[in-house]
Amino acid sequence: MSELTLTVMRLGFLAVLWLFVIVAVQVIRSDLFGTRVTQRGSARRGAPDRPQQQQRQQQQAAPPQQRQQPSGRGRRGAPTKLVVSEGTLTGTTVALQGQTITLGRAHDSTIVLDDDYASSRHARIYPDRDGQWIVEDLGSTNGTYLERNRLTTPTPVPLGAPIRIGKTVIELRK
Amino acid sequence: MSSSTTNTTTISTAGPPSRRNTELAMLAFAVIIPVFAYANAGLALSDELPSGMLSYGIGLGLLAGVGHLVVRKFAPYADPLLLPIATLLNGLGLVIIWRLDQSRRLAVRAEQIGQTFAPSAPNQLMYSAMGVALFVAVLILLKDHRILQRYTYISMIGALILLILPMFFPARFGARIWITVGSFSIQPGEFAKIIIAVFFSGYLMVKRDALALASRRFMGLYLPRGRDLGPILIVWAMSILILVFETDLGSSLLFFGLFVVMLYVATERTSWIVFGLLMSAVGAVGVASFESHVKVRVMSWLHPFAVYDNPRPSWATTDQIALSLMSFGSGGVSGSGWGQGASDLIGFAANSDFILATVGEELGLAGTMAFLLLYGLIVERGMRTALAARDPFGKLLAVGLSAAFGIQVFVVAGGVMGLIPLTGMTMPFVAYGGSSVLANWALVALLIKISDTARRPAPAPAPSTDAEMTQVVRP
């Protein structure tokens, strides 16, 4: 066996061994480099849905999140935040980033309502495939009202329309 | 409830990725590398592809495949890296052992001392198969790692028995760490490290608040109360006794180190580490000053090349450490290449305790670093599992198992490289030895089981009873 072949094989083996190490590190890179923090709001329009890929490691820590809707944000006229305008939580805002927002008295809700007239899992607000935000009543006791109508089916939410849950009113704003 | 009409979609949460396909791909990679190494060693040694290459490759591939299928079925959310890295290390160990089997020097040496030279690689392949069988058995039989919590004190007794038993068997190679029954011998210490990690996690889970909070502050350190010192003193005394009666420096270091690590993790008190280091230093110095076997180890660590002095000091009986250091030195950065080193000069234990010297010589610094990183990745995955685990017992057990693994690698690699005195332990997965391979496969199985539980998505919350308390609006 010629010297050259052996050298090539020797270095080739080391390269392959290191390739394995590097691929292994790639598999767990979110552990080592942390998850990518996306800016709140609409600053990162062009950001591809990388975060979704990196959430995998922390699935159990965070509540299960919806699949990102790339077209959901950055659209003209799309709401960027949810504002509580009446009730004990008045003034609370939550940035809309394509994830489902659950409302209710249950402790794992996105917005935990301190409202005797709200059910523990009262309603949820989520973007549909086109990025339109939908509000859906989750079988609550006292119902969810959009403007003045009690919801029976998931309904698109216009910008600024009041959603009433018990004594709490929330709306979507730009 | 969530009725959807035609123009809206009900969005369900995306299922969390189980990453089993990543594992499969990594596993394929992990089988190809040893096959490549095998071909490489064969070509270098005898100019032809080794005849057993196909069977070894298929054997390793089958073991990996069985492991993967069982993980897919019984631990679908397990960590994707533990199995591939263990397979890779095991496969590379097989190649190194096979390569040392080809050494004519070892055969001649065996004949000189009146033994028949038997190749070790087929045995090691059999041990690997048994190891994977144990891995499979643990994954299938252990439904939930929390079951182990029930056996806290039983495992303490079991570990003590396993550690004490070898005292009643004759010493082999200067250490009483074997149980010999007929021609069959096992090293119970390898299994004891898993069992004792179970005991420590069960014990510390219950006692950690007392250990962490009931303490006085003195010079920035939290001094534990006298009665809380009890367990640490017992473990310390036990590890000293192992050192004295079994002259096994490695196990003693491993158990005491494991206990200190787990105490620190359970209580977050730096003072335990300070105490642990002080106590182990005192113990080690004390024992080393009067126990002759340990003293020899320390002296040959401090003066590895004294064996070549003229006249030779009386304690310098073996040149293994010197040869091992020379192996690392002649390997250089990129090594001499598979099959082209002279690490077989080490002779006895070249394929077990000193196997890292072969890596150092034939793969060089680059290969040794890769090996250490692979071990580091297993430890990292274990720690990551501990972070993700939701139950305190699982957290402590994952920390304990990965710490035991890490300490063992440190103790062996440090000994072979001359960083600390040489101890009689084996490099996990790589070194020749049935007990070691079996115990480490069981250890990885436990880590996989814990990581499966940790990464498994939480079940949907049960309908809350709060809903009934919601006041109804009277129209």
Side-chain angles (χ1 to χ4, degrees), chain B residues 122-471:
Chain B
N123 283 340
Q124 179 77 353
L125 187 61
M126 189 187 74
Y127 294 145
S128 306
M130 285 160 65
V132 173
L134 185 61
F135 172 88
V136 166
V138 170
L139 283 184
I140 294 178
L141 297 179
L142 188 67
K143 296 271 179 273
D144 187 342
H145 62 268
R146 276 165 292 191
I147 294 171
L148 294 175
Q149 200 179 330
R150 294 179 206 154
Y151 304 113
T152 300
Y153 290 96
I154 292 178
S155 53
M156 176 186 78
I157 293 166
L160 280 178
I161 290 173
L162 283 182
L163 287 175
I164 290 170
L165 262 187
M167 282 187 205
F168 304 110
F169 288 90
R172 287 170 62 185
F173 321 122
R176 291 174 193 270
I177 49 176
W178 276 272
I179 297 178
T180 319
V181 181
S183 61
F184 185 75
S185 63
I186 62 168
Q187 244 178 306
E190 292 283 350
F191 297 97
K193 80 182 174 200
I194 298 178
I195 299 175
I196 213 157
V198 171
F199 161 60
F200 285 162
S201 358
Y203 173 79
L204 289 173
M205 199 191 87
V206 179
K207 292 288 161 73
R208 63 188 210 170
D209 286 342
L211 291 170
L213 300 175
S215 53
R216 284 159 300 167
R217 209 179 151 83
F218 176 71
M219 283 173 61
L221 286 178
Y222 287 92
L223 294 186
R225 291 183 305 185
R227 62 184 128 159
D228 294 334
L229 268 177
I232 192 173
L233 285 177
I234 291 172
V235 177
W236 179 72
M238 199 176 78
S239 63
I240 296 290
L241 286 180
I242 296 170
L243 191 56
V244 173
F245 289 108
E246 302 182 8
T247 59
D248 182 13
L249 196 60
S251 308
S252 155
L253 255 172
L254 175 63
F255 293 124
F256 195 63
L258 175 61
F259 188 57
V260 172
V261 167
M262 292 185 71
L263 258 181
Y264 175 66
V265 170
T267 61
E268 300 174 43
R269 288 276 184 256
T270 329
S271 49
W272 287 116
I273 291 194
V274 175
F275 278 115
L277 288 180
L278 280 178
M279 285 168 76
S280 53
V282 168
V285 170
V287 173
S289 54
F290 67 83
E291 182 68 38
S292 65
H293 178 78
V294 177
K295 200 170 172 180
V296 166
R297 291 277 169 101
V298 172
M299 288 304 281
S300 47
W301 162 57
L302 291 174
H303 312 283
F305 293 99
V307 70
Y308 301 121
D309 285 354
N310 202 7
R312 195 167 74 172
S314 60
W315 49 263
T317 51
T318 170
D319 58 352
Q320 280 179 319
I321 298 185
L323 287 171
S324 156
L325 291 177
M326 287 186 219
S327 286
F328 280 106
S330 74
V333 172
S334 64
S336 61
W338 281 104
Q340 291 168 286
S343 56
D344 47 344
L345 279 170
I346 293 172
F348 170 67
N351 65 7
S352 53
D353 293 9
F354 283 94
I355 198 158
L356 199 65
T358 305
V359 177
E361 175 153 15
E362 305 201 339
L363 303 180
L365 179 70
T368 313
M369 284 298 152
F371 262 75
L372 293 182
L373 268 179
L374 290 173
Y375 284 118
L377 278 171
I378 290 191
V379 175
E380 196 270 346
R381 292 326 288 162
M383 293 293 176
R384 174 71 216 177
T385 299
L387 285 179
R390 292 174 211 139
D391 62 307
F393 178 77
K395 271 184 196 297
L396 281 171
L397 187 57
V399 166
L401 293 176
S402 36
F405 194 86
I407 294 173
Q408 184 167 357
V409 171
F410 170 76
V411 165
V412 185
V416 174
M417 293 178 187
L419 185 67
I420 56 172
L422 183 73
T423 60
M425 291 189 95
T426 53
M427 210 66 189
F429 290 117
V430 176
Y432 175 69
S435 311
S436 167
V437 170
L438 253 73
N440 285 307
W441 273 111
L443 190 151
V444 165
L446 279 176
L447 281 180
I448 282 187
K449 200 75 206 176
I450 300 173
S451 76
D452 173 50
T453 318
R455 297 181 73 243
R456 191 181 287 273
S464 160
T465 48
D466 292 359
E468 291 162 14
M469 283 145 54
T470 306
Q471 296 185 31

Side-chain angles (χ1 to χ4, degrees), chain B residues 33-99:
Chain B
I33 294 177
V35 172
F36 180 35
Y38 198 44
N40 206 328
L43 285 173
L45 285 166
S46 58
D47 266 7
E48 57 191 14
L49 285 175
S51 55
M53 183 168 135
L54 205 61
S55 57
Y56 272 75
I58 291 174
L60 191 65
L62 273 180
L63 291 181
V66 168
H68 174 74
L69 287 179
V70 171
V71 169
R72 208 174 254 271
K73 177 86 173 72
F74 290 93
Y77 294 98
D79 193 276
L81 280 186
L82 286 167
L83 182 60
I85 296 178
T87 309
L88 175 64
L89 288 171
N90 200 334
L92 288 176
L94 273 170
V95 177
I96 299 174
I97 291 165
W98 177 83
R99 175 258 171 278

Side-chain angles (χ1 to χ4, degrees), chain A residues 23-24 26-31 53 56-57, chain B residues 16-26 68 71-72 76-81 84 381 455:
Chain A
V23 171
Q26 286 300 317
V27 170
I28 56 163
R29 68 188 305 253
S30 61
D31 281 7
Q53 182 187 50
R56 291 186 286 214
Q57 293 293 331
Chain B
S18 69
R19 314 206 74 186
R20 290 278 70 81
N21 293 334
T22 315
E23 181 184 83
L24 185 59
M26 292 298 283
H68 174 74
V71 169
R72 208 174 254 271
Y77 294 98
D79 193 276
L81 280 186
R381 292 326 288 162
R455 297 181 73 243

